[in-house]
């Protein structure tokens, strides 16, 4: 009986490790969920595209930090709450696999640049937010944080991570009570 219980625990632990590895995969440009809305009940955000290049067509053309590249996100922001919200690109971040956050910035010469405004309830705006990132950065998430809203895309919900752990704990409790 002990060998069977040990085998079951090993299988569950391996399943948990594989599940965590799958959930925490880095996001490449093709892995960001496109055309899907994420909301916290106040703001809804939809990413239409994610791209990178060493140079852009608008001033300042090249990143200010030597050796960095441009990354940009084409997104829509919808005010789904009851108060105006700011569309300030400084609320946008790209997070890498080292937990470093790259702050969004405006490139006003780009006609598609996300306009800074107080967005009324029910309204939607679309635009591009630029970021300077190292060329070898592994981007794992787009983050919107404006002190009232905190949206992370893709969502890595704690439930997805905790389910295998919960099952392991329950199995251990059941097996130890049988003794």
């Amino acid at each position: 009986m002990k060998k069977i219980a040990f085998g079951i625990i090993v299988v569950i632990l391996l399943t948990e490790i594989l599940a965590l590895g799958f959930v925490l995969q880095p996001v490449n440009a093709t892995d960001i969920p496109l055309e899907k809305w994420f909301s916290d009940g106040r703001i809804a955000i939809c990413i239409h595209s994610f791209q990178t290049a060493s140079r852009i067509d608008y001033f300042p053309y090249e990143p200010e930090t030597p050796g960095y590249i441009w990354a940009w996100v084409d997104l829509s922001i919808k005010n789904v709450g009851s108060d105006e919200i700011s569309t300030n690109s400084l609320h946008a971040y790209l997070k890498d696999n080292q937990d470093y956050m790259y702050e969004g910035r405006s490139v006003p010469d780009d006609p598609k640049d996300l306009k800074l405004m107080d967005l009324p309830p029910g309204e939607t705006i679309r635009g591009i937010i630029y970021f300077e990132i190292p060329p070898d950065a592994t981007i794992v998430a787009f983050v919107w944080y404006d002190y009232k809203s905190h949206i992370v895309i893709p969502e890595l919900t704690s439930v997805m991570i905790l389910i295998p752990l919960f099952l392991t704990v329950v199995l251990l409790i059941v097996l130890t009570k049988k003794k």
Side-chain angles (χ1 to χ4, degrees):
M1 181 68 178
K2 286 184 180 181
K3 287 182 181 180
I4 293 172
F6 180 75
I8 292 171
I9 290 171
V10 168
V11 168
I12 290 175
L13 288 174
L14 288 173
T15 304
E16 182 177 325
I17 290 168
L18 289 172
L20 285 173
F22 177 73
V23 169
L24 300 176
Q25 288 280 333
V27 174
N28 298 319
T30 58
D31 293 335
I32 290 180
L34 301 179
E35 306 301 332
K36 180 179 176 191
W37 288 92
F38 293 83
S39 178
D40 66 354
R42 181 174 170 266
I43 295 174
I45 295 177
C46 177
I47 295 178
H48 304 289
S49 69
F50 175 90
Q51 298 176 25
T52 60
S54 59
R55 184 174 168 78
I56 58 175
D57 294 335
Y58 307 99
F59 180 80
Y61 308 109
E62 296 175 2
E64 293 173 6
T65 307
Y68 274 40
I69 63 171
W70 288 109
W72 62 94
V73 177
D74 175 9
L75 75 161
S76 291
I77 299 174
K78 182 174 184 173
N79 184 343
V80 293
S82 57
D83 297 321
E84 288 184 340
I85 59 170
S86 173
T87 61
N88 193 333
S89 61
L90 296 177
H91 298 311
Y93 301 88
L94 289 180
K95 181 179 176 182
D96 72 12
N97 62 346
Q98 303 296 315
D99 287 331
Y100 188 83
M101 304 281 273
Y102 302 94
E103 190 174 64
R105 63 177 286 182
S106 178
V107 176
D109 289 346
D110 183 347
K112 294 181 181 178
D113 187 62
L114 182 69
K115 303 302 178 220
L116 172 61
M117 65 180 294
D118 290 327
L119 191 65
E123 296 294 317
T124 303
I125 188 171
R126 183 172 178 170
I128 293 176
I129 300 176
Y130 289 88
F131 305 84
E132 291 185 26
I133 65 171
D136 58 346
T138 301
I139 302 302
V140 296
F142 171 86
V143 178
W144 182 271
Y145 179 68
D146 67 3
Y147 304 104
K148 291 183 181 178
S149 289
H150 187 215
I151 299 172
V152 179
I153 302 172
E155 294 175 327
L156 297 177
T157 62
S158 57
V159 174
M160 292 171 64
I161 293 171
L162 293 178
I163 288 173
L165 182 61
F166 175 76
L167 292 175
T168 302
V169 170
V170 169
L171 182 63
L172 287 172
I173 290 169
V174 168
L175 291 174
T176 56
K177 285 191 177 190
K178 285 189 174 185
K179 289 183 178 180

